[in-house]
Amino acid sequence: GAGVSQSPSNKVTEKGKDVELRCDPISGHTALYWYRQSLGQGLEFLIYFQGNSAPDKSGLPSDRFSAERTGGSVSTLTIQRTQQEDSAVYLCASSSQETQYFGPGTRLLVL
Amino acid sequence: QKEVEQDPGPLSVPEGAIVSLNCTYSNSAFQYFMWYRQYSRKGPELLMYTYSSGNKEDGRFTAQVDKSSKYISLFIRDSQPSDSATYLCAMGSSASKIIFGSGTRLSIRP
């Protein structure tokens, strides 16, 4: 069966542009997480979706960041007016119960 | 104080050595505990999952949880160069999202 997939795998953009990152979770998984990981750093929690509940957005670093999950499946993380400090790997994970399964990540570079 | 503390390393040991990786936590509500392994330029992959205090063994890996001390460990026996990676502890409960440690970079010298 397919695991968590993310697209694009790499994204280079100019400062000030908007970017959209996509996550396809494992089918049937009710929970979906977005994390950010800077080079050599740990995971920084961004946002958490669980079923039909209101998402936990407590980790979003600024109002330039937003995410949605359509139909309880695919999720999109949008970063508006990107800044150089947004450069990182953005990881998505899904889970059905306690354990998370991660996608390969999207490497974002803001020039 | 962070909810989960993990020494970032780097930790370098010779091939064949026993490796001990540790995390401490402050939230006594955590019910389940995990260890993830992350190779360079890859997403984390689940290595071990435990739900109760005590030991859980899987091949060369042993996960240990001490809820009374709020301390978890991952032991790697007969370490191999292929074990070189970053190891992240993670924990959660039915009432909260999963919290990750910052990860320990491990290098096994041939």
Side-chain angles (χ1 to χ4, degrees):
Chain A
V4 178
S5 60
Q6 292 186 246
S7 60
S9 53
N10 293 280
K11 176 73 177 178
V12 181
T13 190
E14 293 180 343
K15 178 181 170 181
K17 295 283 179 69
D18 297 351
V19 295
E20 215 170 75
L21 312 179
R22 177 187 168 106
C23 172
D24 283 87
I26 293 172
S27 178
H29 280 192
T30 57
L32 187 148
Y33 298 74
W34 282 99
Y35 295 92
R36 179 168 69 175
Q37 189 174 37
S38 300
L39 187 63
Q41 302 298 310
L43 297 175
E44 177 188 0
F45 166 76
L46 296 177
I47 188 168
Y48 163 50
F49 296 90
Q50 174 59 272
N52 295 320
S53 303
D56 177 350
K57 304 179 182 180
S58 59
L60 294 179
S62 77
D63 58 8
R64 296 187 295 105
F65 288 74
S66 62
E68 60 178 29
R69 189 178 185 193
T70 52
S73 181
V74 171
S75 178
T76 302
L77 176 69
T78 301
I79 309 173
Q80 295 178 309
R81 306 180 302 282
T82 52
Q83 303 294 311
Q84 288 179 331
E85 60 262 29
D86 298 335
S87 297
V89 176
Y90 289 81
L91 289 158
C92 172
S94 71
S95 68
S96 60
Q97 294 184 8
E98 292 97 2
T99 56
Q100 294 183 344
Y101 297 87
F102 282 83
T106 293
R107 284 161 187 76
L108 175 66
L109 177 61
V110 182
L111 301 176
Chain B
Q1 181 189 8
K2 290 183 181 178
E3 279 193 281
V4 179
E5 298 276 1
Q6 184 175 9
D7 187 333
L11 180 63
S12 180
V13 301
E15 183 176 356
I18 295 175
V19 176
S20 172
L21 305 168
N22 311 293
C23 287
T24 58
Y25 62 96
S26 57
N27 187 348
S28 59
F30 286 140
Q31 298 169 304
Y32 49 89
F33 307 88
M34 293 152 286
W35 286 95
Y36 285 81
R37 177 175 62 195
Q38 186 176 24
Y39 291 115
S40 180
R41 300 183 67 81
K42 300 285 187 183
E45 57 177 326
L46 181 65
L47 201 58
M48 298 284 284
Y49 168 85
T50 57
Y51 197 80
S52 58
S53 281
N55 293 351
K56 180 176 181 179
E57 189 173 318
D58 183 1
R60 296 184 295 110
F61 298 88
T62 299
Q64 186 176 79
V65 174
D66 183 347
K67 288 188 177 180
S68 61
S69 301
K70 299 191 184 66
Y71 188 89
I72 69 170
S73 299
L74 177 71
F75 299 98
I76 308 174
R77 290 186 300 279
D78 187 25
S79 55
Q80 305 293 311
S82 59
D83 295 329
S84 298
T86 296
Y87 290 80
L88 301 120
C89 63
M91 49 200 77
S93 72
S94 57
S96 73
K97 60 182 179 287
I98 294 172
I99 306 295
F100 280 82
S102 56
T104 299
R105 280 192 295 137
L106 173 66
S107 175
I108 308 298
R109 306 189 301 270

